Amino acid sequence: MPDGELDPGGGMTQDGTQVPAQAPARIPAREQRLDPRAIARASQDAARNASLWWVCGGVLLAVVVALLAGTAAGSWVLAGVLLAGAVARVLLPKPGPVAVAVRSKTFDATVLVVLAVGISVLAAILPTGPI
């Protein structure tokens, strides 16, 4: 290295001057390579998240109610689960419940409420008598 030229990794110049090491440039998240091991670790962490279990439990409850009490009743339960998810998404702090946190709070809550209203309307007009 010629006199006065800096060592790119930090350290000392030839004249004995201390040079701090430069931090590596950050790679934007969209340009980073996917690491399968990191994805597997994240999915294992997600399995421990309570919101996923609450959503699964709510859907299972709706299925059981639909089988035991009828399709309309199960639909009402599913609409209630969706509405509860919307309320949880709005009220809980960031990052929010993993099972229902996809976009912004407003978008997620709006989608969940629209789905709950749609299923409620379908449950209300569903014929419940014998065919």
Side-chain angles (χ1 to χ4, degrees):
M1 213 178 331
D3 284 337
E5 187 174 319
L6 297 178
D7 179 10
M12 306 275 276
T13 61
Q14 286 187 350
D15 63 354
T17 309
Q18 183 72 30
V19 177
Q22 295 192 4
R26 291 188 58 133
I27 300 172
R30 292 187 185 266
E31 295 177 15
Q32 290 180 359
R33 297 178 112 182
L34 293 177
D35 179 16
R37 290 172 292 186
I39 294 170
R41 281 191 297 274
S43 68
Q44 289 172 348
D45 290 341
R48 294 184 198 112
N49 190 301
S51 68
L52 294 171
W53 291 108
W54 281 106
V55 169
C56 288
V59 171
L60 182 63
L61 177 66
V63 169
V64 169
V65 168
L67 290 173
L68 297 177
T71 308
S75 299
W76 285 111
V77 171
L78 185 58
V81 169
L82 288 166
L83 197 57
V87 170
R89 179 66 173 118
V90 169
L91 295 180
L92 294 176
K94 284 187 179 182
V98 173
V100 294
V102 179
R103 303 282 182 197
S104 69
K105 277 188 175 192
T106 305
F107 183 82
D108 290 341
T110 302
V111 167
L112 290 168
V113 168
V114 166
L115 289 172
V117 168
I119 289 179
S120 297
V121 168
L122 292 174
I125 64 173
L126 189 68
T128 56
I131 298 175

